[in-house]
mmCIF file of all heavy atoms in Angstrom:
data_model
loop_
_atom_site.group_PDB
_atom_site.id
_atom_site.type_symbol
_atom_site.label_atom_id
_atom_site.label_comp_id
_atom_site.label_asym_id
_atom_site.label_seq_id
_atom_site.Cartn_x
_atom_site.Cartn_y
_atom_site.Cartn_z
ATOM 1 N N MET A 152 5.924 -66.130 -22.732
ATOM 2 C CA MET A 152 6.170 -66.978 -21.441
ATOM 3 C C MET A 152 7.612 -66.671 -20.969
ATOM 4 O O MET A 152 8.451 -66.278 -21.725
ATOM 5 C CB MET A 152 5.970 -68.415 -21.786
ATOM 6 C CG MET A 152 4.513 -68.747 -22.206
ATOM 7 S SD MET A 152 3.615 -69.071 -20.660
ATOM 8 C CE MET A 152 2.040 -69.388 -21.290
ATOM 9 N N PRO A 153 7.776 -67.092 -19.756
ATOM 10 C CA PRO A 153 9.266 -67.093 -19.136
ATOM 11 C C PRO A 153 10.112 -68.039 -19.973
ATOM 12 O O PRO A 153 9.622 -69.084 -20.466
ATOM 13 C CB PRO A 153 8.997 -67.403 -17.750
ATOM 14 C CG PRO A 153 7.590 -67.234 -17.405
ATOM 15 C CD PRO A 153 6.821 -67.426 -18.742
ATOM 16 N N SER A 154 11.337 -67.635 -20.042
ATOM 17 C CA SER A 154 12.383 -68.535 -20.628
ATOM 18 C C SER A 154 12.249 -68.887 -22.052
ATOM 19 O O SER A 154 12.802 -69.818 -22.562
ATOM 20 C CB SER A 154 12.459 -69.926 -19.762
ATOM 21 O OG SER A 154 12.827 -69.617 -18.617
ATOM 22 N N VAL A 155 11.411 -68.176 -22.818
ATOM 23 C CA VAL A 155 11.332 -68.520 -24.258
ATOM 24 C C VAL A 155 12.475 -67.827 -25.041
ATOM 25 O O VAL A 155 12.588 -68.139 -26.290
ATOM 26 C CB VAL A 155 9.909 -68.035 -24.794
ATOM 27 C CG1 VAL A 155 8.771 -68.674 -24.212
ATOM 28 C CG2 VAL A 155 9.799 -66.458 -24.664
ATOM 29 N N GLY A 156 13.187 -66.941 -24.330
ATOM 30 C CA GLY A 156 14.375 -66.412 -25.032
ATOM 31 C C GLY A 156 14.232 -64.957 -25.460
ATOM 32 O O GLY A 156 14.989 -64.406 -26.354
ATOM 33 N N LYS A 157 13.316 -64.223 -24.822
ATOM 34 C CA LYS A 157 13.193 -62.825 -25.043
ATOM 35 C C LYS A 157 14.473 -62.027 -24.820
ATOM 36 O O LYS A 157 14.801 -61.256 -25.594
ATOM 37 C CB LYS A 157 12.053 -62.235 -24.188
ATOM 38 C CG LYS A 157 10.834 -62.862 -24.358
ATOM 39 C CD LYS A 157 9.569 -62.401 -23.519
ATOM 40 C CE LYS A 157 9.798 -62.643 -21.968
ATOM 41 N NZ LYS A 157 9.873 -64.064 -21.544
ATOM 42 N N SER A 158 15.076 -62.263 -23.624
ATOM 43 C CA SER A 158 16.231 -61.540 -23.308
ATOM 44 C C SER A 158 17.442 -61.925 -24.272
ATOM 45 O O SER A 158 18.243 -61.076 -24.585
ATOM 46 C CB SER A 158 16.737 -61.743 -21.901
ATOM 47 O OG SER A 158 15.722 -61.373 -20.923
ATOM 48 N N SER A 159 17.416 -63.106 -24.528
ATOM 49 C CA SER A 159 18.464 -63.608 -25.575
ATOM 50 C C SER A 159 18.341 -62.929 -26.933
ATOM 51 O O SER A 159 19.331 -62.589 -27.501
ATOM 52 C CB SER A 159 18.333 -65.186 -25.832
ATOM 53 O OG SER A 159 18.437 -65.811 -24.536
ATOM 54 N N LYS A 170 20.303 -60.086 -18.212
ATOM 55 C CA LYS A 170 20.774 -61.356 -17.580
ATOM 56 C C LYS A 170 19.919 -62.471 -18.402
ATOM 57 O O LYS A 170 18.659 -62.255 -18.647
ATOM 58 C CB LYS A 170 20.228 -61.361 -16.127
ATOM 59 C CG LYS A 170 20.851 -62.540 -15.496
ATOM 60 C CD LYS A 170 20.636 -62.418 -13.979
ATOM 61 C CE LYS A 170 20.784 -63.890 -13.280
ATOM 62 N NZ LYS A 170 20.386 -63.808 -11.918
ATOM 63 N N ILE A 171 20.643 -63.532 -18.651
ATOM 64 C CA ILE A 171 19.919 -64.680 -19.452
ATOM 65 C C ILE A 171 20.165 -65.952 -18.665
ATOM 66 O O ILE A 171 21.350 -66.222 -18.179
ATOM 67 C CB ILE A 171 20.560 -64.806 -20.887
ATOM 68 C CG1 ILE A 171 20.177 -63.457 -21.720
ATOM 69 C CG2 ILE A 171 20.096 -66.096 -21.568
ATOM 70 C CD1 ILE A 171 20.952 -63.431 -23.000
ATOM 71 N N ALA A 172 19.207 -66.674 -18.383
ATOM 72 C CA ALA A 172 19.337 -67.945 -17.622
ATOM 73 C C ALA A 172 18.176 -68.842 -17.885
ATOM 74 O O ALA A 172 17.134 -68.471 -18.405
ATOM 75 C CB ALA A 172 19.416 -67.630 -16.193
ATOM 76 N N ASP A 173 18.463 -70.163 -17.598
ATOM 77 C CA ASP A 173 17.390 -71.164 -17.899
ATOM 78 C C ASP A 173 16.448 -71.388 -16.829
ATOM 79 O O ASP A 173 16.077 -72.552 -16.527
ATOM 80 C CB ASP A 173 18.182 -72.504 -18.270
ATOM 81 C CG ASP A 173 19.020 -72.937 -17.136
ATOM 82 O OD1 ASP A 173 19.195 -72.271 -16.115
ATOM 83 O OD2 ASP A 173 19.532 -74.105 -17.305
ATOM 84 N N TYR A 174 16.127 -70.303 -16.134
ATOM 85 C CA TYR A 174 15.010 -70.473 -15.134
ATOM 86 C C TYR A 174 14.034 -69.263 -15.283
ATOM 87 O O TYR A 174 14.496 -68.284 -15.820
ATOM 88 C CB TYR A 174 15.471 -70.541 -13.657
ATOM 89 C CG TYR A 174 16.304 -69.280 -13.341
ATOM 90 C CD1 TYR A 174 15.792 -68.069 -12.848
ATOM 91 C CD2 TYR A 174 17.782 -69.345 -13.336
ATOM 92 C CE1 TYR A 174 16.602 -66.972 -12.538
ATOM 93 C CE2 TYR A 174 18.586 -68.283 -13.028
ATOM 94 C CZ TYR A 174 17.931 -67.149 -12.594
ATOM 95 O OH TYR A 174 18.726 -66.029 -12.310
ATOM 96 N N PRO A 175 12.784 -69.568 -15.085
ATOM 97 C CA PRO A 175 11.676 -68.507 -15.398
ATOM 98 C C PRO A 175 11.903 -67.306 -14.483
ATOM 99 O O PRO A 175 12.425 -67.367 -13.431
ATOM 100 C CB PRO A 175 10.405 -69.244 -15.035
ATOM 101 C CG PRO A 175 10.675 -70.476 -14.273
ATOM 102 C CD PRO A 175 12.119 -70.791 -14.527
ATOM 103 N N PHE A 176 11.422 -66.166 -14.967
ATOM 104 C CA PHE A 176 11.463 -64.847 -14.326
ATOM 105 C C PHE A 176 12.909 -64.497 -14.001
ATOM 106 O O PHE A 176 13.229 -63.866 -12.970
ATOM 107 C CB PHE A 176 10.671 -64.818 -13.079
ATOM 108 C CG PHE A 176 9.209 -65.246 -13.267
ATOM 109 C CD1 PHE A 176 8.599 -66.311 -12.800
ATOM 110 C CD2 PHE A 176 8.448 -64.316 -14.130
ATOM 111 C CE1 PHE A 176 7.321 -66.682 -13.067
ATOM 112 C CE2 PHE A 176 7.098 -64.686 -14.380
ATOM 113 C CZ PHE A 176 6.535 -65.797 -13.883
ATOM 114 N N THR A 177 13.788 -64.737 -15.063
ATOM 115 C CA THR A 177 15.139 -64.075 -14.922
ATOM 116 C C THR A 177 15.026 -62.647 -15.118
ATOM 117 O O THR A 177 15.660 -61.890 -14.341
ATOM 118 C CB THR A 177 16.091 -64.717 -16.065
ATOM 119 O OG1 THR A 177 15.997 -66.212 -16.094
ATOM 120 C CG2 THR A 177 17.525 -64.216 -15.981
ATOM 121 N N THR A 178 14.226 -62.187 -15.973
ATOM 122 C CA THR A 178 14.144 -60.735 -16.128
ATOM 123 C C THR A 178 13.020 -60.222 -15.257
ATOM 124 O O THR A 178 11.919 -60.675 -15.250
ATOM 125 C CB THR A 178 13.702 -60.369 -17.610
ATOM 126 O OG1 THR A 178 14.717 -60.980 -18.492
ATOM 127 C CG2 THR A 178 13.563 -58.939 -17.865
ATOM 128 N N ASP A 198 12.372 -55.620 -23.635
ATOM 129 C CA ASP A 198 12.274 -57.041 -23.277
ATOM 130 C C ASP A 198 11.580 -56.896 -21.869
ATOM 131 O O ASP A 198 12.023 -56.355 -20.963
ATOM 132 C CB ASP A 198 13.863 -57.471 -23.001
ATOM 133 C CG ASP A 198 13.885 -58.678 -22.252
ATOM 134 O OD1 ASP A 198 12.964 -59.628 -22.342
ATOM 135 O OD2 ASP A 198 14.893 -58.881 -21.575
ATOM 136 N N PRO A 200 9.468 -58.676 -18.806
ATOM 137 C CA PRO A 200 9.491 -59.983 -18.071
ATOM 138 C C PRO A 200 8.346 -60.877 -18.665
ATOM 139 O O PRO A 200 7.323 -60.493 -19.031
ATOM 140 C CB PRO A 200 9.169 -59.554 -16.666
ATOM 141 C CG PRO A 200 9.690 -58.206 -16.507
ATOM 142 C CD PRO A 200 9.369 -57.503 -17.877
ATOM 143 N N GLY A 201 8.662 -62.209 -18.293
ATOM 144 C CA GLY A 201 7.728 -63.266 -18.779
ATOM 145 C C GLY A 201 6.320 -63.120 -18.302
ATOM 146 O O GLY A 201 6.060 -62.714 -17.207
ATOM 147 N N ASN A 269 11.199 -69.186 -31.521
ATOM 148 C CA ASN A 269 12.504 -69.210 -31.118
ATOM 149 C C ASN A 269 13.003 -70.512 -30.699
ATOM 150 O O ASN A 269 12.272 -71.457 -30.601
ATOM 151 C CB ASN A 269 12.723 -68.117 -29.869
ATOM 152 C CG ASN A 269 14.248 -67.964 -29.614
ATOM 153 O OD1 ASN A 269 15.056 -67.962 -30.492
ATOM 154 N ND2 ASN A 269 14.612 -67.895 -28.294
ATOM 155 N N LYS A 270 14.402 -70.684 -30.729
ATOM 156 C CA LYS A 270 15.105 -71.897 -30.457
ATOM 157 C C LYS A 270 14.909 -72.925 -31.558
ATOM 158 O O LYS A 270 14.924 -74.169 -31.379
ATOM 159 C CB LYS A 270 14.663 -72.564 -29.077
ATOM 160 C CG LYS A 270 14.675 -71.498 -27.872
ATOM 161 C CD LYS A 270 14.646 -72.163 -26.584
ATOM 162 C CE LYS A 270 14.422 -71.168 -25.511
ATOM 163 N NZ LYS A 270 14.314 -71.692 -24.042
ATOM 164 N N ASP A 272 17.123 -73.646 -33.624
ATOM 165 C CA ASP A 272 18.398 -74.440 -33.812
ATOM 166 C C ASP A 272 18.256 -75.799 -33.204
ATOM 167 O O ASP A 272 19.021 -76.793 -33.649
ATOM 168 C CB ASP A 272 19.468 -73.754 -33.097
ATOM 169 C CG ASP A 272 19.253 -73.457 -31.582
ATOM 170 O OD1 ASP A 272 18.281 -72.537 -31.362
ATOM 171 O OD2 ASP A 272 19.904 -73.946 -30.780
ATOM 172 N N LEU A 273 17.407 -76.036 -32.284
ATOM 173 C CA LEU A 273 17.359 -77.353 -31.640
ATOM 174 C C LEU A 273 16.552 -78.295 -32.527
ATOM 175 O O LEU A 273 15.681 -78.000 -33.252
ATOM 176 C CB LEU A 273 16.619 -77.174 -30.239
ATOM 177 C CG LEU A 273 17.422 -76.361 -29.239
ATOM 178 C CD1 LEU A 273 16.681 -76.064 -27.873
ATOM 179 C CD2 LEU A 273 18.656 -77.068 -28.955
ATOM 180 N N SER A 298 16.643 -68.255 -34.238
ATOM 181 C CA SER A 298 17.470 -68.761 -33.160
ATOM 182 C C SER A 298 18.239 -67.728 -32.544
ATOM 183 O O SER A 298 19.214 -67.251 -33.217
ATOM 184 C CB SER A 298 18.305 -69.863 -33.617
ATOM 185 O OG SER A 298 19.283 -70.255 -32.581
ATOM 186 N N ALA A 299 18.042 -67.418 -31.284
ATOM 187 C CA ALA A 299 18.816 -66.405 -30.558
ATOM 188 C C ALA A 299 20.245 -66.956 -30.292
ATOM 189 O O ALA A 299 21.119 -66.219 -30.094
ATOM 190 C CB ALA A 299 18.120 -66.002 -29.241
ATOM 191 N N ALA A 300 20.242 -68.315 -30.304
ATOM 192 C CA ALA A 300 21.517 -69.010 -29.991
ATOM 193 C C ALA A 300 22.504 -68.882 -31.288
ATOM 194 O O ALA A 300 23.635 -68.494 -31.020
ATOM 195 C CB ALA A 300 21.428 -70.428 -29.731
HETATM 196 N N1 GTP B 1 19.157 -73.539 -27.808
HETATM 197 C C1 GTP B 1 18.617 -72.292 -27.670
HETATM 198 N N2 GTP B 1 18.538 -71.878 -26.435
HETATM 199 C C2 GTP B 1 18.116 -70.654 -26.309
HETATM 200 C C3 GTP B 1 17.704 -69.811 -27.369
HETATM 201 N N3 GTP B 1 17.261 -68.584 -26.778
HETATM 202 C C4 GTP B 1 17.362 -68.650 -25.473
HETATM 203 N N4 GTP B 1 17.764 -69.830 -25.163
HETATM 204 C C5 GTP B 1 18.054 -70.255 -23.756
HETATM 205 O O1 GTP B 1 16.749 -70.229 -23.013
HETATM 206 C C6 GTP B 1 16.902 -69.850 -21.688
HETATM 207 C C7 GTP B 1 16.091 -68.684 -21.439
HETATM 208 O O2 GTP B 1 16.489 -67.575 -22.120
HETATM 209 P P1 GTP B 1 16.207 -66.077 -21.630
HETATM 210 O O3 GTP B 1 16.603 -65.238 -22.806
HETATM 211 O O4 GTP B 1 16.596 -65.775 -20.380
HETATM 212 O O5 GTP B 1 14.671 -66.144 -21.689
HETATM 213 P P2 GTP B 1 13.599 -64.988 -21.367
HETATM 214 O O6 GTP B 1 12.425 -65.165 -22.223
HETATM 215 O O7 GTP B 1 14.210 -63.625 -21.300
HETATM 216 O O8 GTP B 1 13.146 -65.473 -19.805
HETATM 217 P P3 GTP B 1 12.568 -64.661 -18.671
HETATM 218 O O9 GTP B 1 13.351 -63.402 -18.473
HETATM 219 O O10 GTP B 1 12.656 -65.565 -17.533
HETATM 220 O O11 GTP B 1 11.072 -64.379 -19.042
HETATM 221 C C8 GTP B 1 18.508 -69.569 -21.549
HETATM 222 O O12 GTP B 1 19.058 -70.700 -20.990
HETATM 223 C C9 GTP B 1 18.958 -69.335 -22.890
HETATM 224 O O13 GTP B 1 20.250 -69.535 -23.128
HETATM 225 C C10 GTP B 1 17.839 -70.427 -28.647
HETATM 226 O O14 GTP B 1 17.503 -69.716 -29.732
HETATM 227 N N5 GTP B 1 18.189 -71.663 -28.799
#
Side-chain angles (χ1 to χ4, degrees):
M152 290 274 177
S154 296
V155 296
K157 300 178 296 297
S158 300
S159 304
K170 189 170 166 191
I171 294 168
D173 61 355
Y174 53 85
F176 301 114
T177 304
T178 303
D198 165 29
N269 189 33
K270 309 196 187 178
D272 56 291
L273 293 174
S298 164

